[in-house]
Amino acid sequence: MKKAEFSLSVLQKRLFAVILAITFLFCIFLGRFFYIQLVWEDTLHYRALDQWTREIPVNAGRGLIVDRNGELLAGNRAGYGIYARASAVAAPEKTARLLSEALSEPYESLYAKLTDRSRSEIVIARRTQKSVVERIAQTELKGVYYARNDARVYPYGALASQVIGFTAYDRSGTTGIEAYYNSYLFGKNGEILFDTDLVGIDLKGASAAYVPATDGLNVKLTLDYRIQAIAEDVMGKVLSETSAKAARAIVLDPQDFSVLAMVNLPSYDLNDIPRDDLNTLNALSRNSLVSDIYEPGSTFKIVTAAADIEEHLKGNKRALDPHRHVFSSSRTRTVEGTTIRCWSDHKNGKHANETLAEALNNSCNPCFVDIALSLGKETFYDYLAAFRFGRTTGIDFSGEAIGMLLPESTLKTADFARVGFGQSIAVTPLQLACAAASAVNGGYYYAPRLVAEIFSCDGSVREKTSPALLGRTVSREASAILSGMLEGVVRDGSGKHAYIEGYRVAGKTGTAQKYENGVIAQGKYVSSFVGYFPANDPRYLALVIVDEPQGSYYGSTVAAPCAKQIFEGIIDIMHLAPVEAL
Amino acid sequence: MKSKFFFQKEDRGAKKAKGKGDILFLAAVIFLAAYGVLSVYSASSYNAEVQYGDSLYFFKKQLIGFILGLGAVAGIAFLDYRKLKKLGIPALVLSLVLLALVFVPGLGKSNYGATRWIGFGSFTVQPSEIAKYGFVLFTAWYFAKDPARMRTLVGVLPVLGAGGCVCVLIMLEPNMSVTMCVGAVMIGMIFLAGISKKGIAAISVPVLLLVPVLIAMEPYRLQRLSAFVDPWASPKEEGYQLIQSLYALANGKFFGTGLFNSRQKFRFLPFSESDFILSVIAEETGFFGVILLFAVIAFVVYRGFSIANACDNFYGYMLASGITLVFAVQSALNALVVSGCIPPTGLPLPLISAGNTSLVVTMAGMGLVYAVSRHNERR
């Protein structure tokens, strides 16, 4: 044999090299398998789980909304949604026929839905009665599922509709308390999980996994539905009698600022929401007391008076003595060349030689110009800040407006003078009510509250709100002096239409001209009255606003009587005894 | 000229072969094929039920392939493989003809945008599966005829030409992965034949440079490449296949979900019975099962090369090592695809994946390696 061209050892080496290369490749992918199957598997498995199952929702029962007495304001009516998964429907003709009979819906459209495989879950009926579902369930149709889908019901219909708010089709809150406290009310939806193949066909022998829903928590409001009903009744009447654009009222407990009633009229029925007319719905569902601003007019004089009394007690020389200072009897004041007039003509001895108490009784504008100018911008704005004008009150409600306060640095003196009697400033009704409450309750400003507590189905309290003191406005002494004067307004002055014998009602009227596009709108007024009782220890405070009443437009004649009727209603409901001998 | 390999006289081959051969090698091959039938059943039964109304559809086909494959093994195992030298050129020609037939309208069958099959009624054949072995038969014959050809580039040219033709035709189908497989086998066989190191470099470098060119030629390959880098960038399109494979692997963990308990086979994982059957196996038997499976595959590869090593003639050496190389390269490429090491391409796991052409041809090839082992023992 000749010498070999290729030695055995060369070919052996080559074989060895190839085996080595292949071993190397094997190691690479085995390492990769190791990584995917033993290290990465958790993350991947979690992602994969999602594609392996189809879900039918199990809706959580939405929490109830009740008033402070436990009266139901928002509840649920049992209903069921019917769903189908086309890929799991075994006999579409039979299924469509049975569903068509049970739901009285056309066979053709149901059949089309049931055979539409482009969608995995089909809604057959969003909400039906339990009896219908029970009848269908007996037939044990394959691929058809049922899930609780309650309807939201409001036993009192339009009562406090802007406060309570409503829910969307997915049962989440859209407006009002329903929206603000949605995270408590909604609960947690559960689901029924079906093991399926790629297109959603149920796997044989696989059992459905049931993840139960957690019902939502209940919300107890500070509102008293009886006071709310009285207030709505009263405001409804004034709305129709005066053909006003709107009538609003807030009733507060001045001791802790819990809201007892909030009335916005016109209103709408929460069980029949005009969902198709968005503009109307937006207008009617708006809680203007919190979200809209207006020029308060004379009711704002409470704040000016409070500032003056407090400063005087503190020894500020610039403050006018609330008891001894006698205001000029002139009808006008000239500030920076502009003339500010009183609403009264001051003839025949009207508004002559007034003290602060009389100025309040008469609602005499020039006197409050004097106070503001005398105290000066800096001091006065400190009080505006303490009374929380220009910032939120902190109420537990969405969309609170902060009002419009001309900035102190650029404020013209002529404008500042008007702020003294409630012009050139815009506030929310809630801000004014709270400011008045803190001026007369001893000077305590709390965050207003609509919700008293959150409680679960078994009645146990989960969360309880408590009064949150945001700050002091005036001293107890100043508050008492002011309250005495405001009691005089109702007893002897412009507020006498709110007088109830024996109950020491106090308050202040307001009549503001409306502005449209920066000029005074002729014949358009906002009549208001803020009142409370009893004057020595305020328990109920009401702010009444009638927007654009036709005919008589004075706060004293339009708004004050409303407050009186509301107070009478409260006295009746609460069986309140008179606080002073008749 | 004869190499040191031929220390045994040619005439010995004329004697009737009597050795038992490498029984363990053969047993491992048959075990893998049988395991493949079982895996195909598990991976395909749901799909088959939905698509054909017969959960045994793919199982039955695979079983037929397995029986045909056993027949092929039995027929070839007792052959004197050296007689196949005559088939060197005809095998190559047949391969090229079959590959060309794919492009004849009416005969070629398309699926998923590629024309990879020729069919007569319900009977279809994938010529590229045959061509791989046709090329091996040709190359073994060519080099065995005169191993000195290895020393000159001109001597190697016919092999490069044959491999190039096969590659071009497969590339036109198109089938990138099988092309890569044939290319790798071509270089591997030239290397195994003992070409100089300079020579192997002169051949491999241009071939390797061709790969990026081929990828850039077809936009869908680039998309697949980017999907491979981050499959979740296009989870519904290019990334889908790889993501589903990864989910299957992840679901398997160490010991797997148990035989028949794959979750991904419920139509989530496309090609679960064919190119991605390893995903289902990895899901059902876990990393543990993958290790065992590749231990058996590695055993077959090792014994295949050992048979080549023990062979007393150059032709047998080239034949056994070439066939083993096809099997090893294809197994590795498939596992690399399934585990996301390289971009997804359509390449079956030999002996396991559904597909009768591949199964029968691979078993026949393995039968040939066994035949070599029987011959070795006679000396």
Side-chain angles (χ1 to χ4, degrees):
Chain A
M1 253 184 268
K2 290 178 188 171
K3 175 102 176 77
E5 297 292 330
F6 301 98
S7 68
L8 183 62
S9 65
V10 165
L11 295 183
Q12 268 181 338
K13 273 183 191 164
R14 288 291 161 98
L15 271 177
F16 187 66
V18 167
I19 288 174
L20 220 57
I22 287 165
T23 307
F24 174 68
L25 282 181
F26 272 45
C27 285
I28 288 179
F29 68 72
L30 285 176
R32 177 83 173 155
F33 271 90
F34 177 87
Y35 175 72
I36 296 167
Q37 299 199 273
L38 302 177
V39 181
W40 199 8
E41 55 99 3
D42 242 17
T43 320
L44 288 171
H45 190 252
Y46 184 75
R47 291 182 185 177
L49 273 178
D50 194 46
Q51 73 175 14
W52 291 337
T53 53
R54 298 295 166 100
E55 309 86 30
I56 292 291
V58 176
N59 293 334
R62 190 170 174 83
L64 310 174
I65 300 176
V66 300
D67 88 334
R68 64 162 56 209
N69 311 300
E71 186 72 14
L72 186 68
L73 300 181
N76 307 304
R77 185 177 56 233
Y80 290 84
I82 303 177
Y83 307 87
R85 297 216 320 281
S87 50
V89 171
E93 292 89 1
K94 185 186 159 208
T95 309
R97 200 178 61 245
L98 282 167
L99 287 174
S100 158
E101 282 163 12
L103 299 167
S104 348
E105 278 194 37
Y107 169 85
E108 288 74 20
S109 70
L110 284 171
Y111 181 79
K113 274 186 184 177
L114 290 171
T115 47
D116 176 12
R117 296 209 169 198
S118 63
R119 290 160 59 193
S120 55
E121 274 83 39
I122 306 153
V123 179
I124 298 291
R126 200 172 286 283
R127 190 177 289 135
T128 54
Q129 286 165 3
K130 198 176 179 181
S131 57
V132 174
V133 170
E134 277 171 351
R135 201 158 64 237
I136 298 172
Q138 280 171 5
T139 59
E140 290 182 356
L141 295 169
K142 277 195 88 177
V144 178
Y145 310 93
Y146 320 95
R148 182 174 160 188
N149 189 11
D150 293 344
R152 195 69 164 159
V153 287
Y154 303 89
Y156 286 92
L159 185 94
S161 59
Q162 296 88 354
V163 174
I164 296 168
F166 55 86
T167 57
Y169 284 120
D170 68 354
R171 295 167 308 106
S172 64
T174 307
T175 64
I177 294 292
E178 292 273 33
Y180 196 88
Y181 284 92
N182 189 56
S183 56
Y184 293 96
L185 290 165
F186 194 87
K188 197 167 175 296
N189 283 344
E191 52 193 7
I192 307 169
L193 297 167
F194 297 86
D195 273 329
T196 70
D197 75 354
L198 176 68
V199 297
I201 298 174
D202 287 347
L203 299 189
K204 272 180 206 148
S207 56
Y210 183 76
V211 183
T214 312
D215 287 349
L217 295 170
N218 307 315
V219 169
K220 178 183 264 187
L221 301 182
T222 58
L223 290 191
D224 187 318
Y225 85 101
R226 298 167 301 178
I227 299 176
Q228 178 76 28
I230 287 283
E232 286 193 8
D233 208 33
V234 169
M235 298 316 291
K237 267 185 221 149
V238 78
L239 183 72
S240 60
E241 280 166 11
T242 62
S243 305
K245 208 171 124 189
R248 307 189 175 99
I250 304 181
V251 182
L252 277 185
D253 178 352
Q255 299 298 323
D256 64 0
F257 286 33
S258 47
V259 178
L260 298 170
M262 271 189 166
V263 180
N264 287 277
L265 294 180
S267 186
Y268 68 108
D269 186 347
L270 287 170
N271 295 316
D272 183 19
I273 299 165
R275 291 189 200 264
D276 302 329
D277 185 352
L278 271 186
N279 287 334
T280 307
L281 180 59
N282 285 343
L284 294 181
S285 63
R286 190 173 174 87
N287 188 353
S288 289
L289 297 168
V290 175
S291 306
D292 289 337
I293 56 173
Y294 76 120
E295 199 178 55
S298 300
T299 50
F300 194 77
K301 290 168 183 165
I302 293 173
V303 175
T304 311
D308 186 63
I309 297 167
E310 176 70 10
E311 284 302 299
H312 177 74
L313 292 178
K314 277 188 188 167
N316 184 344
K317 294 277 185 296
R318 303 188 62 176
L320 306 176
D321 187 320
H323 299 296
R324 292 197 206 101
H325 179 80
V326 177
F327 290 93
S328 158
S329 302
S330 167
R331 187 196 177 194
T332 59
R333 298 290 188 274
T334 303
V335 185
E336 280 182 339
T338 61
T339 304
I340 298 170
R341 288 187 177 79
C342 187
W343 60 273
S344 159
D345 57 14
H346 282 223
K347 284 174 184 165
N348 306 322
K350 281 186 281 189
H351 294 202
N353 304 320
E354 296 160 313
T355 59
L356 180 59
E358 286 156 342
L360 281 166
N361 281 358
N362 296 331
S363 200
C364 182
N365 292 349
C367 308
F368 293 89
V369 171
D370 291 350
I371 294 172
L373 294 177
S374 183
L375 287 176
K377 283 182 209 170
E378 203 175 310
T379 307
F380 198 73
Y381 263 67
D382 287 346
Y383 280 90
L384 292 184
F387 280 103
R388 300 189 78 82
F389 293 108
R391 49 180 172 160
T392 59
T393 63
I395 193 171
D396 45 352
F397 202 85
S398 294
E400 189 181 4
I402 61 167
M404 274 170 60
L405 202 55
L406 295 169
E408 190 184 342
S409 52
T410 58
L411 184 65
K412 286 189 270 181
T413 310
D415 289 330
F416 171 55
R418 290 177 185 279
V419 175
F421 56 97
Q423 290 183 5
S424 301
I425 183 170
V427 304
T428 67
L430 179 67
Q431 279 177 325
L432 190 85
C434 291
S438 84
V440 300
N441 74 355
Y444 301 90
Y445 198 113
Y446 300 95
R449 281 179 300 147
L450 276 164
V451 167
E453 64 185 43
I454 308 286
F455 63 102
S456 59
C457 314
D458 59 16
S460 63
V461 176
R462 294 294 182 87
E463 272 179 48
K464 209 173 173 70
T465 61
S466 51
L469 185 66
L470 299 181
R472 295 294 305 266
T473 49
V474 294
S475 65
R476 297 187 69 89
E477 199 185 350
S479 178
I481 293 169
L482 176 67
S483 191
M485 291 179 177
L486 293 174
E487 192 182 359
V489 172
V490 170
R491 192 177 54 232
D492 314 316
S494 56
K496 57 180 177 288
H497 287 297
Y499 182 74
I500 303 170
E501 202 171 4
Y503 286 90
R504 301 191 64 176
V505 177
K508 180 75 196 78
T509 58
T511 310
Q513 281 198 290
K514 286 181 84 172
Y515 284 79
E516 275 172 7
N517 308 322
V519 293
I520 288 173
Q522 286 300 322
K524 290 189 177 176
Y525 295 90
V526 177
S527 307
S528 60
F529 179 81
V530 57
Y532 58 93
F533 75 98
N536 58 331
D537 181 22
R539 291 292 160 179
Y540 298 92
L541 178 140
L543 169 64
V544 171
I545 297 171
V546 182
D547 192 6
E548 294 185 25
Q550 306 298 306
S552 174
Y553 56 82
Y554 287 110
S556 56
T557 54
V558 177
C562 296
K564 180 185 177 178
Q565 290 164 42
I566 292 170
F567 290 155
E568 283 173 340
I570 293 171
I571 290 164
D572 194 35
I573 293 161
M574 299 293 169
H575 308 294
L576 300 176
V579 291
E580 59 182 10
L582 302 179
Chain B
M1 2 198 307
K2 296 197 174 170
S3 85
K4 202 176 170 184
F5 261 64
F6 302 138
F7 51 81
Q8 299 209 321
K9 286 177 186 167
E10 280 283 326
D11 62 349
R12 280 250 192 132
K15 284 186 184 173
K16 194 148 189 182
K18 277 181 182 169
K20 278 192 294 184
D22 192 342
I23 291 292
L24 275 178
F25 170 82
L26 192 62
V29 167
I30 292 169
F31 168 79
L32 284 176
Y35 185 58
V37 176
L38 181 70
S39 302
V40 165
Y41 169 70
S42 175
S44 72
S45 57
Y46 185 77
N47 265 337
E49 176 73 49
V50 173
Q51 271 182 34
Y52 302 99
D54 176 9
S55 63
L56 299 176
Y57 179 83
F58 289 102
F59 170 73
K60 284 177 189 161
K61 277 187 87 169
Q62 190 73 358
L63 196 60
I64 290 169
F66 178 63
I67 291 163
L68 288 175
L70 282 180
V73 169
I76 292 168
F78 299 103
L79 269 182
D80 183 349
Y81 67 91
R82 286 168 302 184
K83 287 179 182 159
L84 293 181
K85 277 184 193 170
K86 282 177 276 180
L87 287 181
I89 288 176
L92 179 66
V93 172
L94 177 73
S95 298
L96 292 175
V97 168
L98 285 174
L99 282 173
L101 280 179
V102 162
F103 302 105
V104 175
L107 269 179
K109 297 223 165 161
S110 296
N111 220 343
Y112 309 107
T115 314
R116 294 172 183 176
W117 294 266
I118 51 176
F120 317 94
S122 66
F123 177 72
T124 57
V125 174
Q126 196 172 353
S128 57
E129 291 298 328
I130 295 170
K132 281 183 281 201
Y133 293 97
F135 174 74
V136 171
L137 280 174
F138 168 79
T139 308
W141 163 78
Y142 178 79
F143 282 143
K145 217 175 158 204
D146 179 8
R149 283 168 168 169
M150 199 57 54
R151 286 188 301 184
T152 61
L153 208 59
V154 179
V156 178
L157 264 184
V159 172
L160 290 176
C165 287
V166 171
C167 281
V168 166
L169 283 169
I170 296 175
M171 200 63 213
L172 287 174
E173 290 180 351
N175 194 337
M176 177 80 177
S177 47
V178 177
T179 309
M180 276 166 57
C181 186
V182 172
V185 167
M186 179 181 79
I187 293 173
M189 283 191 76
I190 294 171
F191 179 74
L192 283 169
I195 195 175
S196 67
K197 279 168 191 158
K198 239 191 254 169
I200 199 74
I203 292 165
S204 349
V205 170
V207 171
L208 286 176
L209 285 177
L210 260 179
V211 174
V213 174
L214 289 175
I215 287 173
M217 265 166 57
E218 287 279 356
Y220 83 92
R221 290 192 190 113
L222 267 180
Q223 280 171 7
R224 280 197 194 167
L225 205 61
S226 62
F228 156 74
V229 174
D230 178 17
W232 278 276
S234 54
K236 302 270 179 201
E237 292 90 27
E238 283 77 24
Y240 184 79
Q241 180 76 50
L242 178 54
I243 289 174
Q244 296 307 325
S245 181
L246 292 176
Y247 284 172
L249 264 52
N251 195 31
K253 301 186 180 72
F254 191 73
F255 282 116
T257 57
L259 200 59
F260 308 125
N261 288 337
S262 161
R263 193 66 187 72
Q264 283 291 87
K265 69 183 178 187
F266 290 98
R267 296 160 85 180
F268 295 105
L269 177 70
F271 309 107
S272 59
E273 79 286 347
S274 56
D275 297 342
F276 281 79
I277 196 164
L278 182 55
S279 308
V280 176
I281 292 173
E283 187 184 2
E284 293 188 342
T285 66
F287 183 64
F288 184 69
V290 171
I291 291 281
L292 286 187
L293 174 64
F294 277 93
V296 177
I297 290 173
F299 175 77
V300 168
V301 171
Y302 175 73
R303 291 304 269 251
F305 284 130
S306 296
I307 289 165
N309 187 34
C311 188
D312 58 3
N313 66 77
F314 200 73
Y315 179 66
Y317 163 80
M318 284 306 293
L319 201 60
S321 62
I323 291 168
T324 306
L325 190 63
V326 171
F327 177 73
V329 165
Q330 204 172 323
S331 300
L333 277 179
N334 183 273
L336 287 165
V337 166
V338 162
S339 59
C341 297
I342 57 172
T345 56
L347 189 75
L349 183 63
L351 294 179
I352 310 282
S353 286
N356 279 348
T357 317
S358 169
L359 179 60
V360 173
V361 174
T362 308
M363 284 181 81
M366 291 303 179
L368 207 47
V369 176
Y370 174 71
V372 175
S373 77
R374 287 186 76 240
H375 179 85
N376 292 348
E377 287 184 4
R378 290 183 305 106
R379 61 186 185 225

